[in-house]
Amino acid sequence: MDAVPEDWERALAIVAHPDDLEYGGSTAVAKWTGQGKTVVEVLATRGEAGIDGMDPEEAGRVRAAEQTEAARRVGVDTVEFLDLPDGMLEYGLPLRRVLTAAIRRHRPEVVISLNFRETFPNGGFNMADHRVLGLAVADAVRDAGNRWVFRDLGLEPWSGVRFALFGGSPQATHYVDVSGHLQAGIDSLLAHEVYYTNLGAGFDAAAFLTGIMEPAGRAFGVEHAMVFEMIET
């Protein structure tokens, strides 16, 4: 497994919900912003359907605020919400269109997202929003560079994305040495305080991320590592 190239300056992270990026991806983001790279986050939803005991309007407000704080803790200043319906994302042209618009607006060299495969590495079944969003991201990267696709957006095409990275994939191909940045990743996950309190499961953010990144680090001869599936464009 090769290391993710780091000779780039701008990345765009696109995920379905607040907290999706914090299950490892934001630890890599902390490293990259620490190198002076610019990372922007785009969230398809506000996660409004994620707290059973809270009204969706209030849950969306709280979770969006927690995501903005989580991003700040890893050096991300810009967080955008597309306000699509949580739990009801649908693969198709409308979703590809709004994601293509985001890529053309921000003109990244790298796109970061979440696992779109049916399962996670532990065999657990992946949820619909993740599968739908991740696949649409992969397709929107190509759409963004084709000037004859979504011409009505009024945005110049952007074919400068070199590769897309998908965290949490059972088909990981590359790794990032995140040694020295694990605590920043933990802190970003802990920013989702209201969400985890309402789940009531006693989630241990430090144990969860350490349990992912220590074994990966040993495999690659570093202290901590995060793995991604890379799709080159």
Side-chain angles (χ1 to χ4, degrees):
M1 194 177 289
D2 294 327
V4 171
E6 296 185 336
D7 57 338
W8 49 270
E9 296 300 324
R10 299 185 314 281
L12 178 64
I14 309 174
V15 293
H17 317 105
D19 89 338
D20 281 351
L21 194 61
E22 280 66 57
Y23 294 105
S26 66
T27 308
V29 169
K31 177 186 183 181
W32 293 326
T33 59
Q35 294 172 336
K37 303 182 193 304
T38 298
V39 180
V40 170
E41 294 183 12
V42 170
L43 283 292
T45 81
R46 293 178 182 263
E48 67 274 8
I51 301 177
D52 183 67
M54 185 178 289
D55 179 80
E57 184 174 345
E58 176 65 7
R61 184 191 66 77
V62 168
R63 297 198 69 195
E66 289 186 335
Q67 184 59 44
T68 301
E69 173 60 18
R72 185 195 66 78
R73 294 182 184 187
V74 292
V76 174
D77 297 324
T78 301
V79 181
E80 298 179 357
F81 296 89
L82 300 178
D83 289 326
L84 300 175
D86 183 18
M88 295 182 285
L89 296 182
E90 294 182 288
Y91 181 86
L93 293 177
L95 182 57
R96 283 170 50 192
R97 184 180 184 278
V98 296
L99 299 181
T100 295
I103 293 169
R104 288 179 179 172
R105 283 199 314 273
H106 293 289
R107 306 175 80 79
E109 298 163 80
V110 174
V111 170
I112 306 160
S113 193
L114 194 65
N115 175 29
F116 59 86
R117 304 293 180 180
E118 287 191 352
T119 63
F120 288 109
N122 65 3
F125 191 64
N126 196 3
M127 70 176 297
D129 277 0
H130 296 164
R131 304 195 315 271
V132 165
L133 190 280
L135 184 60
V137 167
D139 289 334
V141 167
R142 178 173 292 175
D143 294 335
N146 188 334
R147 69 175 58 256
W148 307 122
V149 174
F150 303 125
R151 286 175 281 175
D152 61 313
L153 289 173
L155 296 165
E156 283 297 308
W158 176 249
S159 57
V161 178
R162 293 170 49 190
F163 53 84
L165 300 171
F166 298 86
S169 171
Q171 299 185 32
T173 59
H174 290 69
Y175 76 94
V176 179
D177 178 1
V178 294
S179 303
H181 301 280
L182 177 59
Q183 188 57 54
I186 292 169
D187 289 343
S188 71
L189 186 49
L190 288 172
H192 298 280
E193 180 180 3
V194 173
Y195 178 61
Y196 289 119
T197 297
N198 277 271
L199 287 182
F203 180 72
D204 188 330
F208 178 84
L209 289 181
T210 302
I212 292 174
M213 296 183 191
E214 273 191 355
R218 285 195 297 271
F220 305 115
V222 299
E223 184 179 7
H224 297 115
M226 175 63 188
V227 297
F228 293 90
E229 178 176 355
M230 176 188 288
I231 295 179
E232 298 185 68
T233 61

